[in-house]
Amino acid sequence: MAFLDALRGALLANPRLGLVAPALQVELLRLRLDRSYAWRSQRLLQETAVRLGLRAYRGREPVVFTSIMVPPELLYALGLVPFGVEVAGAVTSMLGLASQCLAAAERAWAPADSCSVLRAALGGAELGLLPRPLAAVCTSCPCDSTAKVYAHVARQAGPAPLLLLDVPYEQSPDAVAYLAEQLAAATATLAELAGRKLEPARLAEAVRLSNEARRHVLAVMAQRRARPGLLASSDALGFVYPWSLFLGSPAGVAVFRSYAEELAEAPARPAPEGPRLMWLHFMPFYAHELVAALEGAGAAVVCEEMTQLYWDEADPAQPFVGLARRCISHFLNVPTEERIERLLAVARDYQVDGAVHFSHHGCRQSQGALRVMRDGLAAAGVPLMEVEGDLIDPRGRGEGQHRTRLEAFVETLA
Amino acid sequence: MPRVGWLCSYTPVEVITAVGLTPVRLLGSADKEAAARGFLPVALCPYLKSALGTALMGEEPLDGIVVAACCDGLRRLADVWARYVPGFVYTLDVPRRRDEAAIAYFRGRLVALAQRLGERYGVPVSEEALGSAIAAYNQTRRLLAVLDDLRARGIGLPAGEMQGVWERASREALATFQPGLEELLARLQGAGDRPSAVPVVVSGNVLAPDDKRALSLIEELGGRVVGDDLCSGTRWLAGEVDLGPDPYLALARRYLERVPCARMLDAAERYEELVRLCRRTGARGVIYLSQKFCDTFLYDFGPLRERLQGEGIRTLLLELDGTTATLGQSRTRVEAFLEVL
């Protein structure tokens, strides 16, 4: 393991596009030998992600950049390889490359106080670290920066065409029809770019696989509701990004099935005695002590907003309509009052006593909702604590201050 | 006549007018921004915060507000407004595309807006009333185009005053605004050229009243603003609405097909428009004025700068937060920029 760690470190010391695939090969080997994973499904998830990354970086198959709310089912139906630009931004942090990428983004005029996850991805493109895409597909939500960054990385890593899916901000039959038409058009454009023909049966099969994966996620949620504290929150959040990359693939079904089965078989654990908390937004992608601080104070994070399923099954016979409904109904694409209603339903399901919101620097859409969410949740008896920080840039994180605030918050709940 | 607030230039003021309401653009005031603290985060558009602060202090009495849900800041402002400011809030969905499907979708949203306002005020919106409102705004558009043309020829008002005219157009009932505008144009037609100076174009998003000082600064330091590409300037009211059999469709088309803002899929078309504007006016540089934390416009600056550089047009970025605190540093930067030009 030490040798593999050193080899990976050497490959990353001077990152270049040609070194990414070998680094991913090393990572695959490392994963097979690593015995530190709490759950075997986690290891399977990592292996699946690394294999997908390898396919993207080997350059033998057409790669499509896709933002987190683009349905990957469309790509699997065409045999294209999805590559998540936001995921790449988060990975820069895990590999210790964030500061290099952020500096490169700044040189390319990316606004210095915007979301660092997207900025790091843009910087990665500037450094030539992203694979060459056939096209980039992104949605207009969850935030304004998404489309701007996708336009930039498509230009820089390609040049490749950008297909923007304009997700309406209202939930109506007109809105679903408008987006469904765009999904169909984008799929046709991708097929044309790849020189492939869209076979309806393949798309229906991708939707069927997606529905199957969804049922496994529902089973996980049921387990976590019945047995609070069964799964660490950071582990659960790790199973969110696969929604944007694996839904619609057999590998995705395998990952989520393994996840559900493993949780169902897991031995019983004592239920947390202290306050139960709900986590809003993500957790930092670097090592941090936020959860440890809460647990040290006697609380337990029992659920997360991000891990809650928000969509219904899609009808394989009408794939674009179902997938459009999914995009539109995302909890980051609704007015905050509706989001509060959904959060309160989660709070009731998991019997939470309070909520913690991680306010990621530069995330306008989430920070802008904070006051309304705080008041809306408090009125229903769910107090909310804000923790400010950056998801990928650990500089100036103020762990001591966070610990003090979180401990005080738990005290008020006890 | 009830006053209804609006903020983004994608708001169809004609629909509001057709219901018999006065559409009032909320411009805010930098000294009221503090009142919005605690409601919206520090790192969010200063213009929106100052508009909210003004309303929270009760200094902008309104019957309600139409919020075009065009960006993260506006969507969150609508949430806060609905909970903490008296009056109704209508959130209008605005597409980011401009193809026929998007135009049809937006048309439906405009019909829904008219129905909602009509129900609230007990005034069913007739297509005739909407046609009259469109015709009235078209007349204002024509008059403002003349003013814009005078500016390009070096005859118009100083930049700060010119911006003031756009502000009044966005806040006053047209019946009171238009006569004053006609009088101003008659006066300017006979005026001589303004002193020669370095011609520049200003581009960017919205200028709040306090941000007008940036325009005055440019002219004080030897520049002359000969054209604009601003949300609170020509992008708002340039180009007439073609009155056809379906006024909602005509409006949807005009709003989506106008020079795009940075939020739109085809934002790069704005760069080409800017190149044409610089050629037409003889501008030697572009001063890019963006509200702080406006991600779409700030992300646009890099590619826009590259495009303009390709044409030999220099650029300067100034981030605005509505306070004079920025002006000391801005003075030095504008001075250096004009020297280079």
Side-chain angles (χ1 to χ4, degrees):
Chain A
M1 279 296 279
F3 168 72
L4 290 174
D5 284 343
L7 183 56
R8 185 177 71 160
L11 288 168
L12 292 171
N14 184 17
R16 291 197 307 274
L17 182 62
L19 296 181
V20 179
L24 288 170
Q25 284 283 13
V26 171
E27 185 63 18
L28 210 50
L29 266 176
R30 223 181 58 86
L31 279 168
R32 283 178 193 156
L33 298 172
D34 192 345
R35 296 283 169 259
S36 67
Y37 280 92
W39 304 90
R40 64 175 187 275
S41 51
Q42 262 185 331
R43 185 206 303 267
L44 178 63
L45 167 64
Q46 298 300 343
E47 279 185 20
T48 308
V50 172
R51 283 182 203 286
L52 191 66
L54 262 174
R55 286 173 63 194
Y57 277 99
R58 276 182 176 144
R60 296 174 198 152
E61 298 170 87
V63 176
V64 177
F65 290 174
T66 55
S67 66
I68 52 171
M69 284 163 66
V70 172
E73 292 89 337
L74 307 178
L75 276 65
Y76 286 115
L78 291 167
L80 305 174
V81 179
F83 182 89
V85 169
E86 296 94 330
V87 177
V91 168
T92 64
S93 175
M94 295 168 186
L95 299 179
L97 296 174
S99 56
Q100 263 176 279
C101 291
L102 292 172
E106 201 165 329
R107 289 194 294 275
W109 292 94
D113 46 28
S114 62
C115 168
S116 57
V117 176
L118 286 163
R119 257 189 304 137
L122 187 150
E126 285 291 314
L127 294 174
L129 295 176
L130 303 192
R132 187 182 175 90
L134 174 76
V137 188
C138 78
T139 53
S140 53
C141 54
C143 69
D144 292 339
S145 295
T146 304
K148 306 311 281 186
V149 169
Y150 269 76
H152 189 112
V153 297
R155 250 190 337 264
Q156 192 66 28
L162 170 71
L163 311 179
L164 174 74
L165 300 170
D166 181 18
V167 180
Y169 190 56
E170 66 171 48
Q171 312 214 14
S172 64
D174 279 1
V176 171
Y178 173 50
L179 183 56
E181 193 178 311
Q182 293 178 63
L183 290 172
T187 310
T189 304
L190 288 174
E192 196 181 325
L193 288 169
R196 294 176 185 183
K197 189 171 178 294
L198 174 66
E199 292 172 24
R202 281 193 74 181
L203 182 53
E205 173 63 6
V207 171
R208 191 195 64 73
L209 290 170
S210 174
N211 287 339
E212 190 179 337
R214 179 186 173 279
R215 287 193 284 274
H216 293 308
V217 177
L218 278 180
V220 168
M221 288 167 63
Q223 284 291 334
R224 293 189 71 201
R225 274 197 302 273
R227 297 195 286 164
L230 179 64
L231 187 65
S233 200
S234 51
D235 291 341
L237 283 168
F239 279 87
V240 174
Y241 80 85
W243 293 355
S244 67
L245 290 178
F246 299 157
L247 286 179
S249 69
V253 171
V255 166
F256 289 112
R257 182 192 297 123
S258 160
Y259 184 29
E261 288 175 353
E262 196 174 12
L263 253 63
E265 293 161 4
R269 287 187 187 187
E273 289 176 6
R276 296 178 181 195
L277 301 173
M278 166 167 58
W279 192 273
L280 310 184
H281 211 290
F282 279 107
M283 286 183 187
F285 298 111
Y286 48 82
H288 63 87
E289 294 183 358
L290 297 174
V291 176
L294 288 167
E295 288 174 350
V301 181
V302 296
C303 62
E304 313 76 27
E305 180 183 32
M306 292 281 180
T307 59
Q308 304 303 309
L309 270 185
Y310 56 87
W311 71 91
D312 294 327
E313 283 197 8
D315 176 359
Q318 287 190 297
F320 298 119
V321 171
L323 298 175
R325 282 203 186 101
R326 181 166 98 207
C327 288
I328 291 172
S329 64
H330 196 285
F331 49 84
L332 296 180
N333 189 51
V334 297
T336 304
E337 295 291 349
E338 184 177 338
R339 190 172 163 200
I340 291 168
E341 289 304 312
R342 296 189 195 187
L343 285 172
L344 289 175
V346 177
R348 282 190 295 274
D349 279 355
Y350 290 82
Q351 298 171 14
V352 308
D353 302 294
V356 176
H357 183 279
F358 186 79
S359 288
H360 171 50
H361 291 156
C363 186
R364 323 270 181 233
Q365 56 87 11
S366 68
Q367 285 190 29
L370 201 63
R371 170 62 186 262
V372 176
M373 283 209 294
R374 192 198 305 273
D375 288 355
L377 292 176
V382 182
L384 181 145
M385 162 65 70
E386 180 191 20
V387 180
E388 276 190 68
D390 196 285
L391 285 175
I392 70 162
D393 190 352
R395 290 172 290 186
R397 59 182 146 169
E399 292 260 353
Q401 193 193 24
H402 286 159
R403 179 176 289 277
T404 309
R405 281 169 60 78
L406 291 171
E407 284 172 355
F409 180 55
V410 174
E411 257 182 59
T412 63
L413 299 176
Chain B
M1 196 182 280
R3 300 165 85 240
V4 171
W6 62 279
L7 298 115
C8 170
S9 62
Y10 280 98
T11 313
V13 284
E14 294 87 345
V15 175
I16 300 171
T17 305
V19 189
L21 311 168
T22 303
V24 179
R25 189 171 203 172
L26 306 182
L27 295 170
S29 173
D31 62 340
K32 307 294 185 305
E33 191 188 321
R37 275 185 209 145
F39 291 90
L40 287 172
V42 173
L44 199 95
C45 174
Y47 159 61
L48 296 184
K49 281 186 294 182
S50 73
L52 175 67
T54 307
L56 287 169
M57 291 175 77
E59 296 193 7
E60 183 77 274
L62 296 168
D63 207 53
I65 181 172
V66 175
V67 181
C70 284
C71 66
D72 293 337
L74 280 162
R75 284 189 287 273
R76 297 293 77 91
L77 179 84
D79 294 334
V80 170
W81 206 287
R83 194 172 254 262
Y84 306 105
V85 181
F88 77 91
V89 177
Y90 187 93
T91 306
L92 176 72
D93 197 9
V94 183
R96 285 180 175 75
R97 303 172 66 102
R98 53 209 319 218
D99 49 31
E100 289 304 314
I103 289 169
Y105 176 70
F106 193 43
R107 180 197 176 279
R109 311 291 60 76
L110 299 185
V111 171
L113 169 66
Q115 281 172 350
R116 176 74 187 84
L117 292 177
E119 282 162 18
R120 181 175 174 85
Y121 292 97
V123 183
V125 185
S126 66
E127 295 205 344
E128 291 71 29
L130 185 54
S132 299
I134 290 172
Y137 270 99
N138 275 350
Q139 174 62 12
T140 300
R141 289 184 169 100
R142 278 193 285 276
L143 296 173
L144 287 170
V146 175
L147 189 65
D148 188 38
D149 186 52
L150 289 172
R151 170 172 65 172
R153 289 160 41 203
I155 302 171
L157 295 168
E161 287 180 39
M162 177 82 174
Q163 189 61 30
V165 174
W166 285 103
E167 280 175 10
R168 289 202 300 282
S170 68
R171 286 181 61 82
E172 294 176 9
L174 291 188
T176 53
F177 171 72
Q178 276 189 6
L181 179 58
E182 284 165 3
E183 198 179 298
L184 171 70
L185 285 172
R187 206 172 63 236
L188 286 173
Q189 296 285 4
D193 288 4
R194 292 171 57 209
S196 68
V198 181
V200 294
V201 158
V202 288
S203 172
N205 39 39
V206 62
L207 295 191
D210 301 282
D211 298 323
K212 286 204 295 279
R213 278 177 273 197
L215 299 177
S216 305
L217 184 72
I218 293 167
E219 299 204 329
E220 184 192 319
L221 295 173
R224 190 177 69 220
V225 177
V226 292
D228 83 75
D229 158 50
L230 295 170
C231 165
S232 50
T234 59
R235 273 212 312 280
W236 172 47
L237 270 190
E240 293 181 30
V241 179
D242 287 333
L243 263 174
D246 182 344
Y248 290 104
L249 185 62
L251 273 179
R253 195 173 290 288
R254 185 269 162 190
Y255 276 91
L256 294 186
E257 288 185 347
R258 58 159 238 208
V259 177
C261 137
R263 71 181 287 275
M264 300 295 280
L265 169 63
D266 302 322
E269 276 188 29
R270 189 165 66 88
Y271 314 166
E272 303 311 315
E273 195 60 39
L274 205 45
V275 169
R276 283 193 285 274
L277 178 61
C278 288
R279 283 189 190 138
R280 185 162 57 82
T281 57
R284 283 189 246 154
V286 170
I287 298 183
Y288 196 77
L289 303 169
S290 174
Q291 294 290 319
K292 260 182 98 62
F293 311 120
C294 179
D295 292 335
T296 52
F297 271 89
L298 290 169
Y299 264 115
D300 244 16
F301 180 66
L304 182 139
R305 178 177 176 271
E306 196 178 310
R307 176 70 187 93
L308 292 176
Q309 270 182 341
E311 297 290 329
I313 303 164
R314 291 176 185 272
T315 51
L316 174 73
L317 168 65
L318 290 183
E319 288 190 48
L320 306 170
D321 65 5
T323 67
T324 49
T326 56
L327 286 183
Q329 194 195 31
S330 301
R331 172 178 287 274
T332 313
R333 300 187 65 220
V334 170
E335 207 163 23
F337 182 66
L338 293 173
E339 257 179 55
V340 171
L341 293 184

